[in-house]
C-alpha cells in the first residue's frame, strides 16, 4: 500500500515523452520558462494557482486554501525541515538550506542514529552555486536546475560516530580530510574544487535533489485574515543506495518550509533554523503512539510522485474486519485540477510487529482482491476499449466518468493489473502540531519493483495523510471533472500509496504499448 511505481515506462520513454510534449508547444522548447503542454504567458514569470479544498476538512484548512507556484521559483532565504526526515536506507536527518540572490547556497544536513532525530552523529556543510534553467519537460510545474559544489565539510558529534565515519570513508577517501586525526566537535573538509570526490562517493553523498525545484506559496483563508506558508520541494532521493549519485529526480521529497513563513506552531523549525555545523538540532522526544488505523484518511494536498504523477489518496480502514479500501484520484497537473483517472481498490490486511529498522513504525501485509477503474479522459477510454475481451473488465464498454469492475477479469492486462496481489508495507501514525492524527505509508522503490517480498519492505515514508474521522463510512464516490484542456496522452499511477501508470495513445503510437504495468498491494 504505497505510491506504486512503473519501472518500464520510467526508463527509456523519457525521450519519447519529451518529444511528444514538445510538439504541443510552439517552437523548439529552447526558450527558458516555456511551460510544457500548457498555456503560458509571454512574461518570464509564470504563476499557477489552484483552490484546494479537501472534502474532509482539517480544522486548520477550513475555509479552503489557495496555492500559487511561481516559475521561475524565488529561492532567496532559509528553508528548514519541519520534522525528523527519514530517507531510504533508512537515514534520519534534518535540513537547513540557505539561498542567496547571488545564486550561492549553503546547505546543512544533520544526520542522526535514531528515528526521532534526538542523537546526532554528524553534520555535512555544503556550499555551492545553483542555476535555475527552464521549466521541466518531465515533471510539470517543476523547474530544472544545475548545481556546482565548491566545498563539503563534515563535523562529527561524538566519538562513536567518528569511528563509524572513518570506517565508511577509508580507504577510498584520500582527499582533503585528515581521517586519522578526526575528533568529535571539529570541522573537516571532505571536498573542494580540487579534490575529494572519492570521499563524497564513499558517503553516498549527492546533491542531485537540486536538479528539480518547486516553490509553493499557500494562503490559508479564515475569518481572521490570511496566513502564508511557503514550501520548497526538491528532487526525490533514489531508494537504492548505489543509484543515488546518478539519479535524475522526477518527483519530490518531503518539502522544506521557509523559516519566515512556516506552519505555526513549529518547534522543529526554530531548532533547525538556529543550528550550525557544530551545533546540530536535537529534536524533542515525541510521545509513543500505537498504530490506530480505524477511520478515513485523506491527502492533505495534491501529491506528486516520480515519473509525472499527481494524485490524491483517500483510505478507509475497518480493523474489526481487517479490511481496507482506497480511492486514488489521478490528475495531469500539479494542482490536481484536471482529473484523468480514478482507481478504487479494496482488500484485507494483516498486522505484523514493530519495525526493527524504523522506530515507531509497524509492519503490515496488504492484499488487494478487488479493483474498479473510472477513466475521465478520452485517451484513457480508447486505451481500455482497445483491450482484448476478458482481459480488462467489460471490453468495449468503457466510457468517460463510468466506473467499471476489473475483478472478474483478474485485473487489467493492458495496465498490468493482476488480482489478487500481496505487498509488504510499513505504516506509522503520529500527531501534527495541532494534535491531529497523521498516517504515514511506505515509500515506493524508485526502480519500480513491487515490495512483494519482506526484504523489499519500504524504509522511508510518503507524505502523511490526515484523519477525517473514526466513523465507518467508506471513501465518498464523488464525480470528478476531467477539466478543460486534457491532453491526448496522460500518465497515471496507483497503489495504496498509489500506483497505476497508464500510457496514453501518444506513447502507444510510438511503440511503448507493452511497457505499461503496475501492481496493487
Amino acid at each position: 500500500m504505497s505510491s506504486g511505481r512503473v519501472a518500464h515506462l520510467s526508463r527509456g520513454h523519457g525521450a519519447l515523452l519529451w518529444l511528444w510534449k514538445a510538439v504541443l508547444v510552439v517552437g523548439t522548447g529552447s526558450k527558458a520558462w516555456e511551460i510544457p503542454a500548457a498555456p503560458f504567458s509571454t512574461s518570464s514569470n509564470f504563476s499557477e494557482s489552484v483552490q484546494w479544498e479537501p472534502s474532509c476538512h482539517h480544522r486548520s484548512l477550513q475555509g479552503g486554501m489557495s496555492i500559487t507556484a511561481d516559475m521561475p521559483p524565488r529561492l532567496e532565504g532559509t528553508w528548514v525541515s519541519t520534522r525528523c526526515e527519514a530517507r531510504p536506507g533508512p537515514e534520519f536527518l534534518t535540513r537547513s538550506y540557505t539561498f542567496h540572490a547571488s545564486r550561492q547556497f549553503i546547505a546543512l544536513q544533520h544526520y542522526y542514529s535514531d528515528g526521532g532525530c534526538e542523537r546526532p552523529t554528524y553534520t555535512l556543510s555544503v556550499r555551492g552555486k545553483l542555476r535555475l534553467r527552464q521549466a521541466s519537460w518531465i515533471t510539470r510545474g517543476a523547474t530544472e536546475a544545475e548545481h556546482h559544489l565548491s566545498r563539503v565539510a563534515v563535523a562529527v558529534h561524538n566519538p562513536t560516530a567518528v569511528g563509524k565515519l572513518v570506517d565508511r570513508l577509508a580507504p577510498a577517501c584520500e582527499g582533503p580530510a585528515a581521517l586519522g586525526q578526526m575528533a568529535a566537535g571539529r570541522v573537516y573538509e571532505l571536498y573542494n574544487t580540487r579534490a575529494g570526490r572519492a570521499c563524497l562517493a564513499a558517503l553516498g553523498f549527492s546533491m542531485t535533489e537540486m536538479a528539480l525545484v518547486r516553490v509553493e506559496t499557500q494562503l490559508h483563508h479564515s475569518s481572521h485574515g490570511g496566513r502564508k506558508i511557503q514550501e520548497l520541494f526538491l528532487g526525490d532521493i533514489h531508494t537504492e543506495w548505489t543509484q543515488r549519485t546518478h539519479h535524475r529526480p522526477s518527483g519530490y521529497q518531503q518539502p522544506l518550509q521557509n523559516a519566515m513563513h512556516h506552519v505555526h506552531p513549529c518547534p522543529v523549525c526554530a531548532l533547525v533554523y538556529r543550528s550550525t555545523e557544530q551545533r546540530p538540532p536535537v529534536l524533542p522526544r515525541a510521545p509513543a503512539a500505537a498504530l490506530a488505523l480505524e477511520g478515513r484518511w485523506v491527502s492533505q494536498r495534491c501529491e506528486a510522485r516520480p515519473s509525472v504523477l499527481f494524485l490524491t489518496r483517500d483510505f478507509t480502514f475497518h480493523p474489526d474486519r481487517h479490511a481496507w479500501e482506497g480511492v486514488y484520484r489521478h490528475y495531469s497537473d500539479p494542482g490536481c485540477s484536471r482529473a484523468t483517472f480514478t482507481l478504487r481498490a479494496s482488500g484485507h490486511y494483516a498486522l505484523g510487529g514493530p519495525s526493527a529498522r524504523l522506530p515507531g513504525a509497524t509492519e503490515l501485509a496488504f492484499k488487494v482482491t478487488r479493483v474498479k477503474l473510472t477513466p475521465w479522459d478520452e485517451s484513457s477510454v480508447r486505451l481500455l476499449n482497445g483491450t482484448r475481451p476478458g482481459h480488462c473488465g467489460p471490453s468495449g464498454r468503457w466510457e468517460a466518468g463510468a466506473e467499471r469492475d476489473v475483478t472478474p477479469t483478474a485485473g487489467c492486462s493492458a495496465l498490468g493489473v493482476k488480482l489478487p496481489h500481496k505487498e509488504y508495507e510499513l505504516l506509522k501514525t503520529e500527531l501534527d502540531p495541532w494534535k491531529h492524527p497523521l498516517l504515514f505509508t511506505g515509500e515506493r522503490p524508485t526502480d519500480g519493483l513491487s515490495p512483494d517480498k519482506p526484504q523489499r519492505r519500504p524504509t522511508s515514508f510518503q507524505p502523511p495523510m490526515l484523519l477525517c474521522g473514526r466513523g465507518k463510512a467508506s471513501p465518498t464516490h464523488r464525480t470528478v471533472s476531467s477539466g478543460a484542456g486534457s491532453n491526448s496522452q496522460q500518465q497515471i499511477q496507483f497503489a495504496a500509496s498509489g500506483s497505476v501508470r497508464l500510457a496514453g495513445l501518444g506513447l502507444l503510437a510510438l511503440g511503448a504499448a507493452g511497457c505499461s504495468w503496475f501492481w496493487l498491494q
Side-chain angles (χ1 to χ4, degrees), residues 160-489:
T160 301
V162 170
K164 292 182 178 179
L165 189 64
V166 170
D167 289 342
R168 288 178 63 183
L169 292 173
C173 182
E174 299 176 354
L179 299 183
Q181 303 174 16
M182 273 194 172
R186 296 181 62 184
V187 178
Y188 297 89
E189 190 174 68
L190 289 178
Y191 168 87
N192 57 41
T193 55
R194 297 178 301 277
R197 292 189 182 277
C199 301
L200 302 187
L203 282 177
F205 170 82
S206 171
M207 293 298 288
T208 56
E209 62 186 288
M210 289 195 174
L212 202 67
V213 181
R214 177 179 171 87
V215 173
E216 288 186 356
T217 300
Q218 304 174 9
L219 184 60
H220 294 251
H221 307 288
S222 70
S223 58
H224 303 291
R227 179 167 54 89
K228 184 168 73 171
I229 295 173
Q230 289 187 311
E231 294 188 313
L232 170 62
F233 293 82
L234 297 174
D236 61 289
I237 305 298
H238 202 290
T239 54
E240 277 296 323
W241 180 272
T242 58
Q243 300 298 317
R244 282 190 178 185
T245 58
H246 311 291
H247 177 54
R248 181 180 180 181
S250 58
Y252 305 114
Q253 56 185 307
Q254 177 178 313
L256 303 176
Q257 292 196 358
N258 190 298
M260 299 295 104
H261 303 288
H262 57 75
V263 296
H264 291 279
C266 183
V268 173
C269 297
L271 292 172
V272 177
Y273 178 71
R274 292 194 295 264
S275 65
T276 66
E277 289 173 307
Q278 296 169 293
R279 297 181 59 187
V282 177
L283 304 194
R285 175 166 299 183
L291 184 67
L293 292 178
E294 181 182 3
R296 182 181 168 205
W297 306 80
V298 300
S299 298
Q300 298 186 85
R301 57 153 56 90
C302 182
E303 299 177 357
R305 296 288 185 276
S307 302
V308 202
L309 169 66
F310 305 103
L311 80 160
T312 62
R313 297 173 291 156
D314 191 334
F315 296 168
T316 298
F317 292 91
H318 305 280
D320 55 334
R321 296 183 282 117
H322 291 279
W324 71 276
E325 181 180 4
V327 177
Y328 315 89
R329 300 181 177 96
H330 306 273
Y331 303 83
S332 62
D333 66 297
C336 286
S337 62
R338 288 186 287 275
T340 55
F341 206 88
T342 298
L343 192 149
R344 180 184 300 269
S346 59
H348 295 83
Y349 65 91
L351 283 171
S355 170
R357 305 184 71 182
L358 279 169
T362 301
E363 297 180 348
L364 297 90
F366 282 84
K367 188 172 184 179
V368 179
T369 56
R370 188 168 189 173
V371 172
K372 297 179 180 181
L373 307 175
T374 306
W376 295 105
D377 64 340
E378 290 304 318
S379 63
S380 304
V381 172
R382 289 195 295 269
L383 178 66
L384 295 174
N385 279 331
T387 58
R388 290 185 297 164
H391 287 73
C392 186
S395 180
R397 296 173 54 193
W398 292 95
E399 58 185 66
E403 184 178 74
R404 299 285 185 259
D405 194 345
V406 299
T407 308
T409 55
C412 180
S413 60
L415 305 179
V417 181
K418 296 182 180 180
L419 296 175
H421 183 81
K422 184 178 182 179
E423 286 194 354
Y424 293 86
E425 248 293 7
L426 194 70
L427 301 187
K428 181 180 75 168
T429 53
E430 64 179 42
L431 300 179
D432 69 7
W434 300 276
K435 308 302 181 182
H436 296 108
L438 300 175
L439 172 65
F440 292 80
T441 64
E443 184 177 2
R444 304 303 295 197
T446 307
D447 60 12
L449 293 177
S450 169
D452 55 2
K453 298 178 181 179
Q455 58 268 33
R456 293 179 181 170
R457 197 184 301 271
T459 58
S460 55
F461 299 106
Q462 297 184 70
M465 303 175 71
L466 181 73
L467 178 66
C468 284
R470 296 292 188 188
K472 302 293 184 179
S474 296
T476 56
H477 188 183
R478 56 190 177 89
T479 300
V480 181
S481 170
S482 62
S486 293
N487 300 327
S488 61
Q489 184 247 334

Side-chain angles (χ1 to χ4, degrees), residues 79-98:
W79 307 80
V80 297
S81 299
T82 59
R83 61 166 57 92
C84 183
E85 301 179 30
R87 282 183 173 179
E91 283 184 333
F92 307 108
L93 77 160
T94 58
R95 296 177 289 158
S96 175
Y97 291 3
T98 299

